[in-house]
Amino acid sequence: PGADRVDLTLLAERAAAVLDEVERAVVGKRDRLELVLAGILADGHVLLEDVPGLAKTLTARSFAEVTGLRFARVQFTPDLLPSDVTGSSIWNQRDAEFAFRAGPIFTNILLADEINRAPPKTQAALLEAMQERQVSTDGETRVLEPPFLVLATQNPIEYEGTYPLPEAQLDRFLLRTGFGYPTADAEWEMLARRLDRGVDDVPLQSVVDREALLAMQRAVEGVHVDESVGRYVVDLVAATRESPSVSVGSSPRGSLALVKLSRCRAALDGRDFVTPDDVKSVAVPALAHRIVLRPELWVQRRSGEDVVREILDQVRTPATETP
């Protein structure tokens, strides 16, 4: 625990430095940026769902710059082929053999922009990479270098020409969140900074490198989860299966996501133990996209987020004990 404690103190300092630098580009959304960083530290994929123009793409690029990771962006369209993402073999006339040309998926942070615009076959190619951290093409399996993280965006309003993500793929995302419109003060701050800079782009400094980020991911394993907190997680996820509002509840993958994100939430605060409040703070982004509501609730404009918030109010919170 002593060594872990030092690691976690350093992790919290580095995480704060990363967030401070990203905030130079993305103004007034610290809580959402902390969630995205928690997803990165938990080695999970993040789905950013919001209307256009709310810094989803900027956020992904900024995190890649500040963490010193390789970055690639794929704009998903209805005619995108699996090979456009994974890469393909091309005939090399000089050597008289096929040579593999790697696609954009061979990176550390992949921005999958408007992921729901790609047809199911292309989404399936991405799904293997997300789950197995590998790509199979032409009978050969190629392992992706860690970390491999997908930050995907989708527009929740526009459904024409889109292919809704199947539940199995939604379940592969550790968390789903949106940014929402900025407050008036944050929007003016953004304008004021742009006027001061004199250019559109914000040059960001790399605060950590790939090795440091992998060390931060490993340090999260030093965060203790008490049995009472673990059972609280199990109770919350079980409640999603028993809710009268839900036709399909969260799988055990939801429990794992909740524990991973709770540990990262504690680590960002420099703590080596998880509290019930950590669990509550990440429950909605970790679970809401994993449940399927009963069809009659769609008419009432009820959402998965509403159901998870109700469950948080209903399930008894365990007493907090510092280990």
Side-chain angles (χ1 to χ4, degrees):
D4 288 337
R5 190 70 210 172
V6 173
D7 285 346
L8 290 167
T9 307
L10 183 60
L11 184 154
E13 289 172 6
R14 284 178 171 170
V18 166
L19 290 167
D20 289 345
E21 188 67 14
V22 171
E23 264 199 315
R24 292 181 53 230
V26 184
V27 183
K29 293 293 173 188
R30 182 81 173 201
D31 57 336
R32 292 294 184 266
L33 294 177
E34 284 183 353
L35 260 180
V36 175
L37 181 56
I40 291 171
L41 291 179
D43 199 26
H45 309 296
V46 178
L47 181 60
L48 302 173
E49 189 175 83
D50 230 325
V51 297
L54 295 184
K56 300 186 296 293
T57 306
L58 178 64
T59 296
R61 192 185 303 115
S62 299
F63 271 112
E65 282 181 43
V66 173
T67 53
L69 296 175
R70 288 185 297 130
F71 174 73
R73 176 177 183 248
V74 178
Q75 184 67 48
F76 278 56
T77 56
D79 59 351
L80 193 75
L81 299 172
S83 59
D84 295 331
V85 178
T86 60
S88 56
S89 294
I90 294 170
W91 179 252
N92 184 332
Q93 280 190 315
R94 194 178 61 193
D95 299 335
E97 62 182 16
F98 281 100
F100 181 71
R101 183 172 292 175
I105 206 163
F106 289 88
T107 189
N108 296 131
I109 291 185
L110 177 72
L111 173 61
D113 230 342
E114 295 193 283
I115 190 173
N116 53 335
R117 289 201 175 280
K121 195 171 182 180
T122 304
Q123 289 183 10
L126 184 63
L127 187 62
E128 184 202 3
M130 288 172 67
Q131 184 61 24
E132 311 293 340
R133 301 297 210 277
Q134 65 184 30
V135 171
S136 300
T137 52
D138 304 325
E140 196 172 330
T141 299
R142 294 174 174 85
V143 176
L144 296 166
E145 176 193 77
F148 171 70
L149 307 161
V150 173
L151 298 189
T153 73
Q154 67 173 8
N155 177 350
I157 301 167
E158 206 177 333
Y159 290 116
E160 199 167 321
T162 65
Y163 303 82
L165 293 182
E167 274 70 40
Q169 185 152 6
L170 274 175
D171 209 24
R172 296 308 195 278
F173 285 100
L174 188 70
L175 69 100
R176 179 182 69 182
T177 189
F179 284 84
Y181 290 108
T183 62
D185 286 344
E187 195 157 359
W188 163 241
E189 172 75 9
M190 182 190 75
L191 293 176
R193 288 186 191 183
R194 168 62 185 83
L195 293 168
D196 284 346
R197 275 198 315 274
V199 291
D200 278 337
D201 290 336
V202 185
L204 298 178
Q205 301 298 314
S206 176
V207 174
V208 295
D209 59 13
R210 174 176 166 269
E211 291 304 320
L213 184 76
L214 290 172
M216 288 166 75
Q217 288 182 340
R218 289 192 297 270
V220 172
E221 292 299 323
V223 177
H224 172 75
V225 181
D226 191 69
E227 185 181 342
S228 64
V229 175
R231 288 195 173 275
Y232 177 53
V233 166
V234 171
D235 290 345
L236 287 174
V237 174
T240 69
R241 301 165 193 158
E242 293 155 11
S243 168
S245 307
V246 173
S247 59
V248 181
S250 170
S251 72
R253 197 179 276 137
S255 308
L256 286 166
L258 205 43
V259 167
K260 282 182 178 179
L261 285 169
S262 300
R263 291 174 104 183
C264 292
R265 181 62 268 170
L268 288 176
D269 288 344
R271 271 185 289 107
D272 62 355
F273 61 95
V274 173
T275 68
D277 283 341
D278 293 325
V279 177
K280 288 179 177 178
S281 70
V282 296
V284 172
L287 297 179
H289 62 292
R290 300 174 196 277
I291 60 181
V292 180
L293 298 184
R294 293 193 180 281
E296 59 268 25
L297 293 179
W298 299 347
V299 183
Q300 300 170 22
R301 296 293 180 102
R302 296 245 295 150
S303 66
E305 284 87 349
D306 297 330
V307 172
V308 175
R309 287 190 192 100
E310 282 171 14
I311 287 169
L312 285 171
D313 289 338
Q314 292 162 4
V315 175
R316 194 179 69 79
T317 308
T320 308
E321 289 180 24
T322 305

